[in-house]
Every structure is written in C-alpha cells, then in structure tokens.
Amino acid sequence: MRRLEEHAMGKVTSRRAVLTAAAGAAGSALAAGCGGGGDENGGATEETEPAPSEPPGDSPPAEDPPGGRALAGTSEIPVGGGKVFEGEKIVVTQPEEGTFKAFSAVCTHQGCTVASVEGGTINCACHGSRFRVADASVANGPARRPLPQRQITVESGSIRLP
C-alpha cells in the first residue's frame, strides 16, 4: 500500500507527487542560476551574420561539364569484360569493341555489390550469381532477375554519368 504524507493544509498527497514537485523546483532553480547575464541587453544577444566560408572574390567550384561527371576512360574497360565502380554502384561493360553498357552493380539476389567482371560475366561473390556482360541477364543463379540498366554517355574517349 502506498505511504501517504499529509500537508499542513490537510490534503493527502502521494510520496511520488511530493518528490516530483521537489525535483521540478530544484531543476527550475538550477536553470535560472545558469542563465546568461550581466550584459546591457538583459542576457539577450544580438544576432549577427555568420562569417563567409570563402574569401571574397573566390567562385564556387565549377559544375560538371555537359554530359555529366567523368567515370572512366574508354581504354579502362576491356573488350569482353568490364569494370565495377563500387562508389557509384555501377558496372560498365564493353561486350564488343566500341560498345559500352552500364548496369547497376547491386546484385538482384540479395543486394550485394558485384565484385568483378571476368570470363564474359559480371560476378557476385556473395552467393555466386553471374550476369552476362552484353545485357546483364542471369547466366547463373541464384539471382533470377537481370541487373537494371544504367545511363551513361560515351564521348571523346570518356565514359560519363548523366
């Protein structure tokens, strides 16, 4: 049974209510004592604009040129093979000379990033799925769906993301 304490006013209050009220009063006193003070604005401060992060006259970084950000040179992608770009989650292949394709590097089986492109297939090391370099169709499961195609542009020996 709860122990009850009586106030001088004759009301009955639970110990929890008394302790909660005391803790609240102590917290308020502590907050008031920690407030700023002493300046001519009664503790308020004037807002100022933050200092610029760049010195005046410097221009912001240049944007990527039309055609998107360079991903690789065409000479970096072997004929009949490809290259995995882990950071971009893209795999670029060159199934035949001069033909470049791009696919998601995320395996459709369980979401691992594919590890390599060898022997005419894009290979996932997690569970052994293999996808054909020409169209990313499944060459060997357990994946059942092809890798989704991704957009790239190829111009002047450069492979670019849009």
Side-chain angles (χ1 to χ4, degrees), residues 47-147:
E47 289 187 28
T48 58
E49 289 187 32
S53 59
E54 297 179 13
D58 283 356
S59 60
E63 292 185 23
D64 289 328
R69 182 170 60 86
L71 186 62
T74 55
S75 62
E76 296 177 53
I77 312 300
V79 176
K83 184 174 180 180
V84 177
F85 298 90
E86 287 187 42
E88 292 81 4
K89 301 259 188 234
I90 289 178
V91 58
V92 176
T93 66
Q94 186 177 188
E96 52 190 49
E97 190 168 347
T99 302
F100 297 90
K101 304 223 175 176
F103 307 99
S104 169
V106 178
C107 182
T108 57
H109 175 237
Q110 288 193 348
C112 295
T113 301
V114 296
S116 65
V117 184
E118 296 171 354
T121 58
I122 302 163
N123 309 306
C124 181
C126 290
H127 301 103
S129 292
R130 297 187 189 285
F131 306 88
R132 292 176 185 89
V133 296
D135 59 5
S137 61
V138 177
N140 186 49
R144 296 182 189 169
R145 293 172 292 143
L147 298 173

Side-chain angles (χ1 to χ4, degrees), residues 18 44 57 61 81 100 107 129 134 139 146 152 159-160:
V18 170
F100 297 90
C107 182
S129 292
I152 56 169
I159 300 169
R160 296 183 170 278

Side-chain angles (χ1 to χ4, degrees), residues 12-34:
V12 177
T13 307
S14 72
R15 177 178 287 170
R16 180 175 289 158
V18 170
L19 292 174
T20 301
S28 294
L30 180 61
C34 292

